[in-house]
Amino acid sequence: MKRRNLLASAAMGLMLASGAFAQGMEHVKACFVYVGPIGDGGWTFQHHQGALAVQEKFGDKVEIQYQESVPEGADAERVLTQMALGGCNIIFTTSFGYMDATNAVAAKFPDVKFEHATGFKRDSANVSTYNARFYEGRAVEGLLAGRMTKSNKIGYIGSFPIPEVIMGINSYYLAAKKVNPNVELSVVWAFTWFDPAKEADAAKALIDQGVDVIASHTDSTAVLAEAAKTGGKVIGFGQASDMAEYKPSPRVSSVVDNWGPYYIERVQALLDGTYAQADTWAGIKGGEVMIGEITDAVPAEIKAEAEKLRDDIAAGTVHPFTGPLKKQDGSDWLAEGATAPDGDLLGMNFFVEGIKGDIPH
């Protein structure tokens, strides 16, 4: 899987600035490429909400175009080429696996702006990257998991073994372990972003192992649908969007990706003539990562504890990766009081100490 080779050398200089494009535009055609359907209820749904926010903000100054369920690889390059030829002024490519296609097509169309979600390559001046610190939300989920589990067995469904997913798993586990030293984490890899059948099978596998709290890094509501079949024995979280139809249980909270403000900001910059190449990685503080309502299925004192963790992360007084921490193999990683550098997170290819199981290669 081409997605997985992120290394620490990808560490960002956050918010790069190259020359701004001094000439504003009277009308912008903003285009979006989605890895799943807009009705997935999760990742793609939330990106599309951001696109709709652009349309609502700018009205007839902006034309929106999008294409759903575009496979990563050659298909993405074809779609991007068609969009560039079709008059798109800015193209948002909303999955990590679009990185090579984005950069390849951008090199051929220097007057089109390309924005790649969760990637690190900016091979041309017209390529920007944007990301969200999802791991901050995973810490809040982990605290809830550690407090709410009755079996002391919690689970996580991984999509692909790339740093974005691995850091989420580690953050979830560390926060759970901090409040419940007896907790054990099981990880199942689905090897898909969106496949409700595979996601449901992964959830069933965890439930069969006695897991009673499940987090996931896949895009559909299938995991919560499986949890709902247990009659209250298993709880989980909304992923990427709120998945509110499963409140108050099994969905007891959610990590919501809030892309609208960023999309509006970038389109506004094109209209204003202030657009410049950028690389951003915002989190709870910036509002790009939001914690959905913690429902009444969670006892009030645990809810308060989770909300405090959310607020402390936003304030910068708590970092989900704070030493002393070791890697899974027992080697030292972070010293007492040290926090993980962004480069370590962006290239993360290891589990922390205490997680069982291997990361697939």
Side-chain angles (χ1 to χ4, degrees):
M1 188 70 192
K2 282 191 290 188
R3 289 169 171 269
R4 81 166 311 283
N5 295 320
L6 272 170
L7 297 173
S9 59
M12 303 178 175
L14 296 180
M15 270 323 277
L16 294 173
S18 64
F21 298 92
Q23 185 140 8
M25 301 177 69
E26 292 183 2
H27 182 271
V28 168
K29 186 174 182 180
C31 301
F32 298 80
V33 183
Y34 301 140
V35 74
I38 60 174
D40 69 356
W43 175 264
T44 293
F45 172 83
Q46 206 63 23
H47 279 284
H48 191 56
Q49 294 304 298
L52 295 177
V54 170
Q55 188 71 82
E56 182 178 357
K57 169 74 174 177
F58 297 110
D60 58 10
K61 285 187 177 181
V62 174
E63 176 187 351
I64 297 295
Q65 179 184 327
Y66 63 91
Q67 189 154 336
E68 304 171 78
S69 301
V70 177
E72 297 160 345
D75 284 335
E77 195 161 335
R78 175 183 53 79
V79 169
L80 288 170
T81 300
Q82 290 173 344
M83 284 183 165
L85 290 170
C88 296
N89 304 116
I90 187 167
I91 304 173
F92 296 92
T93 61
T94 64
S95 188
F96 180 83
Y98 294 148
M99 181 161 60
D100 290 340
T102 299
N103 282 274
V105 177
K108 300 173 186 174
F109 296 92
D111 293 333
V112 178
K113 309 302 178 281
F114 291 80
E115 297 265 348
H116 179 226
T118 74
F120 61 87
K121 287 184 181 178
R122 297 171 299 279
D123 294 344
S124 303
N126 58 328
V127 178
S128 293
T129 45
Y130 62 103
N131 202 351
R133 295 179 184 269
F134 309 115
Y135 70 88
E136 294 181 345
R138 301 299 182 193
V140 179
E141 288 184 343
L143 184 151
L144 289 168
R147 289 293 193 206
M148 293 292 288
T149 180
K150 295 180 172 63
S151 65
N152 287 329
K153 294 180 179 180
I154 64 174
Y156 202 108
I157 299 171
S159 45
F160 294 97
I162 62 170
E164 174 191 316
V165 179
I166 294 167
M167 76 175 88
I169 293 168
N170 283 332
S171 179
Y172 177 73
Y173 173 74
L174 289 171
K177 191 81 171 176
K178 188 170 184 178
V179 299
N180 181 353
N182 297 317
V183 82
E184 296 179 1
L185 175 67
S186 297
V187 179
V188 172
W189 295 97
F191 293 100
T192 184
W193 294 111
F194 177 79
D195 186 326
K198 285 185 178 179
E199 295 171 61
D201 286 345
K204 289 174 192 171
L206 288 170
I207 293 167
D208 287 347
Q209 294 175 39
V211 165
D212 60 359
V213 188
I214 303 176
S216 64
H217 201 125
T218 53
D219 295 349
S220 85
T221 59
V223 176
L224 288 173
E226 284 304 312
K229 294 176 184 177
T230 67
K233 294 179 182 177
V234 178
I235 61 172
F237 307 94
Q239 154 59 10
S241 63
D242 204 42
M243 300 186 179
E245 64 268 35
Y246 288 94
K247 290 183 188 179
S249 184
R251 174 247 173 259
V252 297
S253 188
S254 57
V255 175
V256 179
D257 309 339
N258 182 29
W259 301 112
Y262 181 78
Y263 290 158
I264 288 169
E265 175 188 325
R266 299 303 274 163
V267 172
Q268 182 75 64
L270 270 186
L271 290 165
D272 293 345
T274 58
Y275 187 94
Q277 186 184 44
D279 175 21
T280 64
W281 199 20
I284 293 176
K285 179 181 179 180
E288 203 157 287
V289 175
M290 301 171 65
I291 305 302
E293 177 198 357
I294 301 171
T295 72
D296 290 341
V298 177
E301 65 275 13
I302 299 174
K303 178 179 179 179
E305 188 179 10
E307 289 175 339
K308 183 178 187 304
L309 177 59
R310 175 200 65 197
D311 294 345
D312 287 346
I313 291 172
T317 56
V318 170
H319 192 296
F321 293 100
T322 301
L325 291 176
K326 295 179 182 289
K327 297 182 180 181
Q328 186 186 49
D329 63 8
S331 62
D332 290 332
W333 176 33
L334 294 175
E336 176 82 39
T339 58
D342 282 351
D344 282 16
L345 299 178
L346 291 164
M348 187 168 276
N349 60 0
F350 60 88
F351 282 151
V352 294
E353 185 179 47
I355 298 179
K356 298 180 173 65
D358 299 321
I359 297 173
H361 295 286

